[in-house]
Amino acid sequence: MTVIYPRKFQNAISARDILKQVVRDRELHLITLNRYRYSEQRSCKDLTALIEYLNGQPKQLIKDLSHHISDEARHAMWLTDLLVDLGADIGKPPGSSYIDEFERLLDSENQDPVGNLDNFVISTLATINITEKRGCEYFSAHIYALKQAPQTEENIKIRETIEKILPEEAGHVRWGNRWLAQIADKSPEHRQKVEQAKRKYAAIEQAAFESGMDITLGAELRRVATLVELANNMPVWQRPQYLMERLPQTLLAPELQMVRIQAAQKAWQRDPKVFMEKFVPMFLNGIQKKRD
């Protein structure tokens, strides 16, 4: 089967590049840890809802998902304890939510666990698998960045916490791979469905990931272009509904506007000179960079 991994931001900036900068800024570092906590906590809710949708079938998948929830809850607990010990915020993280954007872009309206359980299971497993791969990529990069950073008591404590989480997240990727491979082996038709699902949900995950990273001028139009690309990979009869339900929010993007304002305020408060010399040119050059 095809092996699909998350791509770099705009195919240029790696997770290591990003985390190298994050660990240098304590405020940003703590926000990043809180985003991890929020994601792990949110996964518990989403996976519980999934088990309810599946309504007891297939049993082995329900069992694996239950263990997965237990792991995610433990990760959320470890990260919550860490953040409280560091005196950091444990409320909803500021800025654009990767999870919310990912769920918004999913074609959930076309999934029917009652009428077509096979397709629902394949889509669900492909969705979980690609997000877990992104998590492993970032946890691994975070550990690497912390090993290069000054070995303060705080950095060591953060690294040790993430080092406990990473092996279990890698285990989630492995069981997802195993389930998808087992389904693909059932028939050529099943294999084709699995391959299509992996490509489709990898593209959706990449779009959600990049939307949270790109706040520069023209981001709305880039999001619309990506939305159209995602729709074009779906069956023709599903495209109109998918586009019409998501296009208004993608084009107007009220959350993006708020993130821009917050980022600008934060940059100005920190250093007005840097704001004018770096933040403003970066914001204005965003669309030109993409065009180049």
Side-chain angles (χ1 to χ4, degrees):
M1 284 202 314
T2 305
V3 179
I4 296 177
Y5 294 101
R7 301 197 313 273
K8 297 177 182 178
F9 175 55
Q10 294 186 355
N11 288 322
I13 305 173
S14 71
R16 284 191 176 186
D17 295 331
I18 294 168
L19 269 302
K20 181 181 178 181
Q21 301 303 319
V22 166
V23 300
R24 292 176 177 176
D25 183 321
R26 187 174 189 270
E27 182 181 4
L28 183 57
H29 199 181
L30 294 178
I31 289 173
T32 300
L33 291 170
N34 194 28
R35 285 186 180 278
Y36 294 164
R37 179 203 61 79
Y38 180 78
S39 294
E40 300 289 337
Q41 173 187 292
R42 177 71 172 268
S43 291
C44 295
K45 184 181 79 169
D46 292 345
L47 291 169
T48 299
L50 172 59
I51 288 177
E52 292 175 1
Y53 274 123
L54 291 170
N55 194 26
Q57 293 297 329
K59 288 184 179 180
Q60 186 57 47
L61 179 57
I62 300 297
K63 180 179 177 181
D64 287 349
L65 288 170
S66 297
H67 288 208
H68 193 157
I69 292 170
S70 175
D71 291 346
E72 302 289 40
R74 186 166 55 252
H75 302 168
M77 177 188 70
W78 287 338
L79 288 163
T80 301
D81 288 348
L82 172 67
L83 287 163
V84 170
D85 289 346
L86 299 179
D89 180 44
I90 53 171
K92 186 175 181 180
S96 178
S97 169
Y98 160 76
I99 301 174
D100 287 343
E101 182 66 9
F102 183 58
E103 291 188 351
R104 187 181 75 84
L105 292 175
L106 288 175
D107 58 336
S108 304
E109 66 274 17
N110 298 317
Q111 303 301 324
D112 181 8
V114 177
N116 197 329
L117 182 60
D118 256 9
N119 284 356
F120 182 77
V121 169
I122 290 170
S123 298
T124 297
L125 289 171
T127 299
I128 293 172
N129 194 243
I130 193 63
T131 54
E132 292 291 339
K133 285 177 179 176
R134 179 73 72 182
C136 285
E137 176 192 29
Y138 268 73
F139 285 140
S140 177
H142 204 149
I143 292 168
Y144 179 84
L146 284 166
K147 286 181 177 178
Q148 313 308 309
Q151 296 304 291
T152 62
E153 182 181 349
E154 180 170 294
N155 280 345
I156 292 171
K157 185 180 291 189
I158 293 170
R159 176 174 54 78
E160 288 175 345
T161 301
I162 299 174
E163 284 176 338
K164 289 194 297 183
I165 295 172
L166 178 57
E168 294 188 353
E169 295 292 352
H172 298 161
V173 171
R174 285 194 297 272
W175 80 251
N177 289 340
R178 187 168 61 250
W179 263 99
L180 289 169
Q182 288 172 355
I183 294 171
D185 286 342
K186 288 182 177 180
S187 71
E189 182 186 2
H190 281 87
R191 180 169 294 275
Q192 183 181 24
K193 286 181 178 180
V194 168
E195 295 294 345
Q196 288 175 343
K198 286 165 67 175
R199 288 192 295 270
K200 178 167 72 172
Y201 294 111
I204 289 175
E205 190 279 335
Q206 186 70 26
F209 168 70
E210 295 215 353
S211 73
M213 302 285 285
D214 184 8
I215 65 169
T216 57
L217 191 65
E220 293 90 340
L221 296 178
R222 289 190 288 280
R223 288 186 181 190
V224 169
T226 300
L227 186 68
V228 172
E229 288 178 14
L230 294 175
N232 285 339
N233 289 321
M234 297 177 182
V236 174
W237 61 89
Q238 293 179 3
R239 295 175 191 176
Q241 181 184 4
Y242 183 83
L243 280 173
M244 294 308 297
E245 289 185 357
R246 293 160 180 81
L247 190 57
Q249 189 175 356
T250 302
L251 189 56
L252 298 175
E255 188 174 296
L256 173 60
Q257 308 304 332
M258 184 57 67
V259 170
R260 282 174 176 162
I261 292 169
Q262 291 171 343
Q265 287 175 336
K266 185 72 70 176
W268 175 262
Q269 290 166 359
R270 282 192 168 193
D271 191 330
K273 185 171 181 288
V274 170
F275 174 82
M276 295 304 298
E277 291 179 353
K278 293 185 178 180
F279 184 87
V280 173
M282 177 201 75
F283 177 80
L284 294 177
N285 288 337
I287 195 164
Q288 185 62 44
K289 259 192 199 176
K290 191 74 174 179
R291 190 180 295 128
D292 292 342

